[in-house]
């Protein structure tokens, strides 16, 4: 379409060039809108995966921290040392 | 030699109207734009579908020595034959003479006189007699193709002025193609002496009483070709205000290219201006849409390489 417009310009058919350029720019605008839409859809998944990864990591770390440091589930107190006995 | 060239030139000038030189395949005028490529001027010419531009960075004021030598080696044609077969319009925009060989200087003259090239020299510290960093063009073979005589030293005037139609040129197609009243001032110009058979199209109108008047835009047809001398810089520094604030700047630059190429300068001002504005808008819009996912092609389109017409992609 742009090539057509260029050829028309070379023939000095300026009115026709204006029409063609308006059509091309309309298509470019539609293409631009599609690109933005596609980008938004892609970024939604990117953000979702990022959010899930961060959330799951926080959860696992939190559970481990709570279990080991607060509840002391695997903590065993040393009763005697060899020196004490 | 110079005398013979001049006589041949004047004889040819009296003959029939000039045939514009173009690429026979694409009908485009192939422009070799050598000089200060850091500004939008060459892009404004590129936006017009009549022209296919190869920009070559070549000013001592903007680029370093090694880079310049590389650009000249890579992008200036290596033989006279290649030069005249691949270039229809040569633009030397504020480009210093010391960057070119004596042989190249002769090619530029011969290309215009013998092979019908168009030639434009744009002003600045490195153009005409403005030897700010290197050498004046005075005495060069290239000067013989110019419609003006250059001065031998740093000949410029940096007082602001308006460029307005010269007496006797008001009916010239270039002059009638643009509205001059709104054109802002230039900040300076090279001082030159128009040659006898040249036409002064624009002259300076000083902004202060007592300032001298100079020729601003001078044209002639020489041999089979034509040449234009634009004595102010057409982009920053001296042309900054015109470039940034004049609505018809692109039309001005492109019409100069039409004039030098021997093409008919379009007279339908508003229509052509709308078309060119639309084309420039398209180029900007396209670069924004495409650049993100096609950076390779975008960078090729802006690099100073020889570009084939087929590289102009379209949606």
């Amino acid at each position: 379409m742009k090539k057509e417009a260029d050829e028309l310009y070379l023939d000095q058919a300026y009115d026709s060039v204006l029409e063609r350029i308006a059509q091309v720019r309309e298509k470019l605008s539609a293409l631009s809108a599609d690109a933005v839409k596609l980008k938004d859809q892609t970024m939604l998944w990117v953000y979702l995966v990022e959010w899930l990864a961060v959330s799951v990591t926080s959860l696992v770390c939190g559970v481990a921290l709570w279990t080991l440091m607060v509840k002391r589930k695997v903590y065993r107190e040393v009763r005697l040392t060899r020196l004490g006995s | 030699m110079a005398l013979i060239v001049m006589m041949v030139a004047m004889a040819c000038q009296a003959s029939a109207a000039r045939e514009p030189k173009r690429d026979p395949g694409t009908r485009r005028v192939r422009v070799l734009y050598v000089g200060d490529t850091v500004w939008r001027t060459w892009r404004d010419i590129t936006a017009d579908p009549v022209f296919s531009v190869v920009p070559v960075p070549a000013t001592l004021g903007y680029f370093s020595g090694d880079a310049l030598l590389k650009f000249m080696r890579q992008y200036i044609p290596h033989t006279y034959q290649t030069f005249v077969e691949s270039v229809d319009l040569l633009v030397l925009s504020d480009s210093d003479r010391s960057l070119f060989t004596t042989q190249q200087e002769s090619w530029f003259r011969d290309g215009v006189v013998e092979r019908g090239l168009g030639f434009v020299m744009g002003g600045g510290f490195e153009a005409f007699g403005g030897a700010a960093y290197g050498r004046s063009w005075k005495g060069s073979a290239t000067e013989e193709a110019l419609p003006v005589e250059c001065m031998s030293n740093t000949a410029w005037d940096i007082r602001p002025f308006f460029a307005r139609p010269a007496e006797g040129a008001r009916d010239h197609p270039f002059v009638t193609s643009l509205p001059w009243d709104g054109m802002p001032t230039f900040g300076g110009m090279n001082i030159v002496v128009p040659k006898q058979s040249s036409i002064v199209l624009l002259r300076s109108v000083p902004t202060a009483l007592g300032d001298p008047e100079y020729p601003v835009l001078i044209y002639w047809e020489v041999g089979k070709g034509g040449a234009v001398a634009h004595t102010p810089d057409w982009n920053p520094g001296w042309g900054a205000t015109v470039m940034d604030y004049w609505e018809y700047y692109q039309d001005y630059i492109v019409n100069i290219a039409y004039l030098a190429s021997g093409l008919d300068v379009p007279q339908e001002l508003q229509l052509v201006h709308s078309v060119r504005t639309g084309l420039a808008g398209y180029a900007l819009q396209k670069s924004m849409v495409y650049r993100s996912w096609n950076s390779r092609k975008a960078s090729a389109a802006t690099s100073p390489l020889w570009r084939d017409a087929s590289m102009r992609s379209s949606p």
Side-chain angles (χ1 to χ4, degrees):
Chain A
M1 227 172 188
K2 173 63 169 45
K3 275 184 184 163
E4 264 178 49
D6 286 353
E7 290 300 320
L8 288 165
Y9 189 95
L10 288 168
D11 294 331
Q12 300 195 342
Y14 299 124
D15 289 310
S16 307
V17 179
L18 268 180
E19 279 174 33
R20 290 287 193 291
I21 284 297
Q23 290 168 357
V24 173
R25 293 191 69 176
E26 217 169 273
K27 285 199 169 184
L28 269 178
S29 297
L31 192 65
S32 183
D34 285 349
V36 170
K37 204 173 163 186
L38 200 63
K39 188 262 302 175
D40 286 346
Q41 286 174 358
T42 308
M43 293 313 283
L44 177 73
W45 285 104
V46 170
Y47 293 142
L48 194 68
V49 169
E50 268 183 10
W51 186 84
L52 280 172
V54 171
S55 302
V56 169
T57 307
S58 303
L59 205 65
V60 169
C61 291
V63 168
L65 190 74
W66 179 261
T67 311
L68 297 173
M69 303 301 286
V70 179
K71 300 303 277 183
R72 297 184 175 186
K73 286 268 184 186
V74 291
Y75 178 73
R76 297 286 180 271
E77 194 178 347
V78 178
R79 290 180 182 170
L80 287 172
T81 63
R82 285 183 184 175
L83 194 65
S85 66
Chain B
M1 177 64 186
L3 191 66
I4 295 168
V5 170
M6 297 292 294
M7 287 173 71
V8 169
M10 289 173 78
C12 292
Q13 201 168 0
S15 64
R18 185 180 155 207
E19 182 65 29
K21 187 173 177 297
R22 294 172 182 236
D23 181 350
T26 62
R27 294 196 293 156
R28 287 202 166 84
V29 173
R30 296 158 297 182
V31 184
L32 184 63
Y33 188 105
V34 187
D36 49 0
T37 53
V38 294
W39 307 105
R40 57 175 266 204
T41 314
W42 73 266
R43 286 196 179 87
D44 282 345
I45 300 174
T46 307
D48 189 294
V50 166
F51 299 102
S52 168
V53 183
V54 174
V56 184
T59 50
L60 296 175
Y62 288 118
F63 304 100
S64 70
D66 288 347
L68 280 173
L69 289 176
K70 193 176 83 175
F71 294 146
M72 303 306 280
R73 256 197 316 273
Q74 285 182 309
Y75 305 120
I76 300 290
H78 292 180
T79 65
Y80 175 66
Q81 201 57 30
T82 316
F83 171 63
V84 294
E85 283 174 2
S86 58
V87 176
D88 303 314
L89 173 63
L90 171 69
V91 179
L92 295 181
S93 175
D94 198 7
S95 191
D96 196 275
R97 184 184 168 190
S98 61
L99 294 168
F100 303 92
T101 64
T102 312
Q103 197 179 35
Q104 287 168 336
E105 289 175 12
S106 302
W107 293 353
F108 297 163
R109 175 199 59 204
D110 297 343
V112 175
V113 175
E114 295 170 358
R115 304 296 288 268
L117 261 75
F119 177 34
V120 184
M121 183 175 276
F125 289 129
E126 300 173 39
F128 302 104
Y133 310 103
R135 297 165 64 202
S136 162
W137 286 91
K138 184 174 180 59
S140 65
T142 307
E143 189 193 19
E144 292 169 25
L146 281 172
V148 296
E149 286 173 26
C150 305
M151 309 300 262
S152 57
N153 47 25
T154 52
W156 57 64
D157 191 324
I158 51 168
R159 285 171 284 196
F161 66 89
F162 292 100
R164 292 292 181 265
E167 286 301 326
R170 291 181 189 280
D171 295 330
H172 190 279
F174 176 80
V175 174
T176 54
S177 72
L178 291 165
W180 300 102
D181 289 343
M183 189 189 203
T185 56
F186 283 100
M189 67 193 310
N190 295 97
I191 300 170
V192 296
V193 180
K195 289 179 183 169
Q196 204 169 9
S197 53
S198 65
I199 309 168
V200 178
L201 298 174
L202 301 178
R203 63 177 175 78
S204 67
V205 175
T207 54
L209 277 175
D211 284 358
E213 287 186 16
Y214 297 110
V216 173
L217 189 77
I218 308 101
Y219 171 70
W220 79 345
E221 291 188 359
V222 55
K224 292 181 178 172
V228 174
H230 185 273
T231 60
D233 201 340
W234 54 33
N235 42 38
W238 297 334
T241 315
V242 175
M243 189 180 90
D244 291 338
Y245 298 106
W246 195 30
E247 187 186 349
Y248 299 100
Y249 174 77
Q250 187 196 5
D251 302 280
Y252 177 63
I253 296 299
V254 171
N255 285 0
I256 289 174
Y258 271 70
L259 176 68
S261 305
L263 299 165
D264 291 334
V265 180
Q267 298 296 309
E268 304 92 334
L269 173 68
Q270 291 309 332
L271 179 61
V272 177
H273 179 69
S274 305
V275 171
R276 286 175 179 158
T277 307
L279 287 166
Y282 157 81
L284 180 66
Q285 200 177 358
K286 184 183 157 195
S287 71
M288 289 167 72
V289 172
Y290 281 78
R291 187 157 296 201
S292 56
W293 60 271
N294 200 354
S295 59
R296 189 177 61 83
K297 192 179 283 181
S299 66
T302 53
S303 69
L305 294 170
W306 282 102
R307 283 187 298 144
D308 189 82
S310 61
M311 286 181 70
R312 289 164 170 266
S313 56
S314 57

